[in-house]
Amino acid sequence: MKGKREEPRRERKKPVSRKSAPLGDPFAEGGVRPKKKSGWAAFWDSGKGKILVAALSCLAVFAIVVAVVLKTWIKPPEIPVNGPQDPQEPAANQTQQTQTPKDEEPAGPTDDELYPDDGYNGDMPTVSGNRKEGVYTFLLVGTDMDDGNTDTIMVVSYNTKEQDINIMSIPRDTMINESWDIKKINSVYSRTGSSISSLANRVQKLIGFKPDFYVKVELEMFVKLVDLVEGVEFDVPQDMNYDDDWQDLHIHLKKGLQTLNGQQAMELVRFRRYSEGDIKRVEVQQNFMKALIKECLKLEHWGKIKAYIDLAMESVETDLESGSVVWFAANVLGLNGVPALKMENVNTCTLPGDYWGSAWSRDTNQEQSYVTIYPRQVVELVNESFNPYEQKVTTAMLDAMSILKNGDIASSTGSLKDTRHNVIMAVRRGEAYYDEGGNIVYGKPPAKPEQDELGNWFIKDEEGNVVYTDEKGNPLTGDPGLPPENEPGQPVVFPATPTDGNGGDPSGNQTDPGDTTPADQPDNEDQTAPDLTVPEDPEAPPAEEPELPEEDPVDTEKPGWL
């Protein structure tokens, strides 16, 4: 039978037991095999270990690169030389606004208690020099939705070493030294073309230094932030009811402790109808801000830090770089090697001043409420909690406005930008007037002449006496019906023959009333009357005077012409 050819079977060898096998030479041919590798050595020999090490090395290099990048991105900001800058203006074009005071004293009385002499005799000094380590300052601004004014203005100081934050509110009615009529700090932003730098310059004149950075917050972002933390618990101080269809603003909140959502929080901070005035509104804003910060710092919201940053980047205008924003956020949360910020280290206050002042407005023709600062108290507060420089702020660095008792305004610098206000107040007080050419004349204006029943113009002096004048009010000398005293009058010609006033003489002879020639005398101008005088005899006795008849009492009446 044909088929495949089978190979001869090999004889199997019996396995040799390791125990009974001779050791022999392990290096000799046919000797004992080496031990089999296991664990990391076998994994490395397989090639997979080498791949893993290479991958880990790449990850380490990548982590180092990321750390370096984050270190250069997430870092504390560099302090600008001149504080906040407008985005549209380069820093080189920014000039610090200073004022040069006049040599003369400010008009009106001064208050030495409010405005002490600090050796201020030149350009307004500014704080500068070495800075305190880890202290940063910010100008926090909130714009109003209806008119673009910055009704929320706060100065914030953050000490990143000591982990404390100080917040000072500047009332929106704070008076500043400006040429326009209503001189409130909240009008600077809108009047200077939305210039943050201009607003920062004005703030500097109130507190003595210019904040390092600015943060401008829209109300829309404020609403979103409150909703992001799912509401803020707050004790509303009073019932709030206000409707303004023009602004589409409707506020209806009940008094008491409650959780406010974003819309309700916006209504709270915009409400103004307090019996205590705008200072109460500032207090409510400060208290709500502390409650909001407290809510944001809760551990349950730490996972929202990226959402916080994204919201800030899209809804907040600032000159801080995004990496600096992240660095500040990490520092607040205690991720930069320092303890986390505690709420007891967040302090709020208000710019010290007189919150109940008012001054006349020529635009509105009524009184405007103002806040005028107390320089001594401002300097003390700033140096204690806000000044980032080692050099102290002095009252000479402030431009403090004041409202005098007579309605005039004054600046502590002695240089007042509004030159019209005090002139208008002098006119209102009757101390000055405008002449026909529109020029201001100090003194009492001349009285306007009046006419009596005869048509004569007159005025009355301070004692009430009548003084006759011309139509323009210039005084006249004498009575208006007589010729002036310095001009001679026309002579009066009396008739030679007495008349009875009817053109005849008493004897009954009719004569021409205008004829002054006697009746028995010829009407001849060249004729000379003869001398009928009889020479007197020196020896003759004196002639006796004839007796005159007694006068009839009826005929004793004198003619009317006498």
Side-chain angles (χ1 to χ4, degrees), residues 208-441:
F209 70 90
K210 195 172 184 179
D212 302 322
F213 308 99
Y214 79 91
V215 179
K216 186 169 77 71
V217 181
E218 301 290 346
L219 278 178
E220 182 180 358
M221 180 266 180
F222 179 77
V223 173
K224 291 180 179 179
L225 180 59
V226 174
D227 288 336
L228 182 61
V229 296
E230 300 175 2
V232 176
E233 188 177 57
F234 189 75
D235 189 3
V236 179
Q238 68 178 54
D239 289 342
M240 300 180 179
N241 293 287
Y242 176 74
D243 291 286
D244 188 341
D245 295 332
W246 186 76
Q247 298 186 56
D248 192 22
L249 177 62
H250 304 279
I251 301 175
H252 298 284
L253 295 174
K254 291 294 183 181
K255 178 181 178 181
L257 185 65
Q258 54 197 290
T259 299
L260 303 177
N261 59 27
Q263 178 64 27
Q264 292 171 327
M266 184 270 293
E267 296 174 7
L268 175 78
V269 298
R270 295 193 69 187
F271 185 75
R272 299 178 180 175
R273 301 301 190 268
Y274 296 102
S275 58
E276 300 90 340
D278 196 61
I279 193 64
K280 181 65 176 180
R281 178 174 181 251
V282 172
E283 178 186 340
V284 172
Q285 289 180 346
Q286 292 175 348
N287 292 338
F288 184 81
M289 176 170 289
K290 293 177 70 173
L292 178 59
I293 295 174
K294 181 179 180 181
E295 188 67 33
C296 292
L297 293 180
K298 287 183 178 180
L299 290 175
E300 60 190 88
H301 299 305
W302 278 28
K304 301 176 181 177
I305 184 171
K306 183 179 182 302
Y308 292 158
I309 297 174
D310 291 342
L311 180 60
M313 291 295 101
E314 69 182 30
S315 304
V316 174
E317 179 184 320
T318 180
D319 53 354
L320 283 168
E321 296 180 354
S322 56
S324 298
V325 174
V326 175
W327 185 85
F328 280 120
N331 207 80
V332 168
L333 296 175
L335 304 179
N336 287 344
V338 294
L341 178 69
K342 297 180 180 180
M343 280 308 302
E344 54 264 29
N345 294 329
V346 178
N347 308 299
T348 59
C349 60
T350 304
L351 187 70
D354 178 7
Y355 306 125
W356 308 105
S358 65
W360 183 260
S361 166
R362 56 181 176 266
D363 289 346
T364 63
N365 200 33
Q366 62 184 2
E367 293 284 321
Q368 285 287 330
S369 61
Y370 282 105
V371 174
T372 52
I373 68 173
Y374 292 150
R376 285 186 181 275
Q377 297 182 24
V378 169
V379 166
E380 182 179 354
L381 175 63
V382 167
N383 286 329
E384 180 181 353
S385 304
F386 293 91
N387 186 7
Y389 296 90
E390 294 182 356
Q391 179 189 355
K392 298 292 186 180
V393 171
T394 66
T395 55
M397 299 176 183
L398 310 184
D399 189 348
M401 297 292 291
S402 60
I403 304 173
L404 308 183
K405 292 181 179 179
N406 62 359
D408 285 353
I409 59 177
S411 166
S412 62
T413 66
S415 178
L416 191 63
K417 290 186 177 181
D418 186 358
T419 58
R420 296 182 57 195
H421 179 87
N422 290 348
V423 171
I424 293 174
M425 295 308 299
V427 173
R428 286 174 54 83
R429 294 191 299 266
E431 300 172 359
Y433 66 94
Y434 295 99
D435 61 15
E436 295 180 355
N439 302 314
I440 188 70
V441 179

